Amino acid sequence: MTDSRDSGERLIDPFGRSIEYLRLSVTDRCNLRCFYCIPKGFKGFEQPEHWLNFAEIERVVRAFSELGVRKVRLTGGEPLVRKGLDQLARAITALPGMDDLSLSTNAVLLEPHADRLRAAGVSRINVSLDSLRADRFQAITGGPLQPVLDGLAHARRAGFSPIKINMVAMAGINDDEFEDMVAFCLDNGFTLRLIETMPMGSSGDAASRHYLDLQTVKRRLAKRYELIPGVMPGGGPARYMQVKGTPLRIGFITPISQHFCETCNRVRLSVDGTLYLCLGQNDRLELRPLLRGGISDDGLKQAIVEAIARKPEKHTFRENPRRMIRLMTMTGG
Ligand code: SAM
């Protein structure tokens, strides 16, 4: 197989979507326990011998980069609990053609890691933050709020840009806090993204119980702020509105009320080497046996091309919410 950057080879799925984005879960473990994400007492984490090591991950990312993927996000689980993440980040940014490495984190460990990750080439970060009230944050996540706020302050100083706050919008949990979060993001120069709960895995019922249609939230915010259509580079599935007269952009991620599968450009690699072709479907390719079985670089790329030919058209969270798809933390949310 020739180098795709010379041959112009691209990953195009059967629905004409160009796959340009890899979300890379470096661990399924997390130092928080958000009730809508990891079920209480969950013990089903991957065994360390099944984790792809950094050389294996780099090999897969290289194959993707040679197939036209330019954009990678480190995620999990909580990616900062995987030791040596900055080394992996450095190896990925050094790959030819790779021009965008970002991180999704809960920011609990961001303060000690931010400078090294920034120096390793991570440019943009998304931070999960569902509440600004310490007691409520503790109730949702099982952990303290202050390290997250410290991590965010440090991330600003370290020069990440943009910094996006991901807030899962939940009826009866944090639906009285959107205006506070808007003010917090305005004060700090962050972008705000509101996310609808998705019925993922056995915690999916807990998530669905608090489902909130973001179309109603948008209407509510529009009464208070003058919202004009906004754009955001690397905005992904969010539909952005800008608060007029300010730099603040608010993204609405609406997998349930208005899904965005027709523009899906991504696949996900889990820590055990499973390539998931859709967040909400089980279609997959097991890469670990191929990597450990001595597959050639060309063979690896061919397997990825064949997998992309099986990418499902869309998730069915709305039509079939009781179907148990794996947890978000196992997939790389
Ligand atoms: N630990 C990192 C973080 O906090 O961003 C990355 C992984 S975490 C699984 C990614 C995102 O998925 C978080 O923003 C989390 O709130 C969201 N998430 C987890 N389960 C969800 C669900 N059932 N519905 C909607 N969002 C969910």
Side-chain angles (χ1 to χ4, degrees):
M1 192 179 283
T2 53
D3 186 317
S4 66
R5 277 163 285 116
D6 298 327
S7 66
E9 191 174 357
R10 288 286 177 272
L11 290 170
I12 309 287
D13 82 357
F15 305 96
R17 297 171 298 194
S18 177
I19 307 308
E20 295 162 349
Y21 182 20
L22 177 65
R23 293 180 69 103
L24 192 61
S25 175
V26 294
T27 180
D28 57 349
R29 293 169 197 236
C30 191
N31 46 359
L32 293 180
R33 285 290 178 277
C34 300
F35 75 90
Y36 56 80
C37 185
I38 302 183
K40 243 192 174 75
F42 181 72
K43 296 262 187 300
F45 294 109
E46 268 308 329
Q47 297 306 310
E49 61 269 26
H50 291 163
W51 300 352
L52 294 193
N53 61 40
F54 284 174
E56 290 168 329
I57 294 176
E58 188 188 334
R59 199 171 162 217
V60 175
V61 180
R62 182 186 295 276
F64 271 99
S65 77
E66 291 178 3
L67 290 166
V69 168
R70 301 277 169 269
K71 201 171 147 184
V72 171
R73 174 172 294 274
L74 302 169
T75 182
E78 172 48 41
L80 297 183
V81 304
R82 180 102 188 230
K83 286 200 175 64
L85 189 66
D86 56 309
Q87 291 161 34
L88 179 65
R90 191 164 284 116
I92 292 173
T93 42
L95 290 172
M98 193 52 66
D99 58 24
D100 183 13
L101 180 63
S102 57
L103 170 76
S104 283
T105 176
N106 59 31
V108 171
L109 292 172
L110 193 52
E111 187 169 13
H113 286 97
D115 292 322
R116 258 177 291 147
L117 286 166
R118 185 72 196 91
V122 176
S123 53
R124 309 186 290 118
I125 57 171
N126 289 2
V127 172
S128 301
L129 182 59
D130 296 338
S131 176
L132 291 166
R133 303 184 193 176
D135 53 343
R136 186 179 281 178
F137 184 88
Q138 177 87 39
I140 296 171
T141 69
L145 175 64
Q146 196 55 48
V148 176
L149 300 179
D150 294 343
L152 273 167
H154 197 81
R156 277 180 68 185
R157 289 194 291 275
F160 291 98
S161 177
I163 298 174
K164 297 180 190 165
I165 301 296
N166 281 342
M167 178 185 192
V168 178
M170 291 173 282
I173 302 281
N174 60 0
D175 52 346
D176 54 352
E177 272 197 75
F178 302 131
E179 289 80 1
D180 290 352
M181 202 61 92
V182 167
F184 175 75
C185 289
L186 262 172
D187 285 351
N188 288 282
F190 301 147
T191 297
L192 176 60
R193 307 197 321 159
L194 301 174
I195 304 174
E196 287 177 348
T197 56
M198 285 170 265
M200 299 283 294
S202 47
S203 49
D205 276 350
S208 299
R209 262 197 299 281
H210 299 284
Y211 171 72
L212 187 55
D213 180 337
L214 282 182
Q215 314 302 330
T216 62
V217 176
K218 198 189 285 183
R219 284 196 287 276
R220 172 174 137 192
L221 290 176
K223 285 188 186 147
R224 169 111 177 231
Y225 309 98
E226 194 174 342
L227 298 179
I228 54 175
V231 284
M232 185 80 201
R239 294 181 172 87
Y240 281 93
M241 303 298 284
Q242 183 149 2
V243 178
K244 198 172 175 192
T246 80
L248 178 65
R249 278 166 286 208
I250 307 176
F252 297 84
I253 302 183
T254 56
I256 310 296
S257 67
Q258 200 181 6
H259 77 69
F260 33 78
C261 300
E262 63 284 357
T263 57
C264 183
N265 64 350
R266 62 198 57 193
V267 287
R268 294 171 159 84
L269 182 68
S270 69
V271 66
D272 67 340
T274 307
L275 184 69
Y276 288 107
L277 303 170
C278 170
L279 180 63
Q281 301 285 3
N282 280 319
D283 305 72
R284 65 181 81 184
L285 167 66
E286 303 291 351
L287 285 172
R288 192 179 74 242
L290 303 182
L291 294 167
R292 296 189 181 170
I295 195 167
S296 67
D297 290 345
D298 280 354
L300 180 60
K301 283 195 272 187
Q302 194 53 42
I304 292 171
V305 168
E306 285 167 14
I308 297 299
R310 298 189 280 112
K311 184 170 163 66
E313 184 180 12
K314 57 184 180 174
H315 66 69
T316 51
F317 286 141
R318 192 171 181 140
E319 301 85 329
N320 199 358
R322 300 308 298 264
R323 192 165 150 230
M324 290 299 170
I325 300 290
R326 64 214 161 260
L327 303 175
M328 190 75 97
T329 191
M330 295 162 100
T331 314

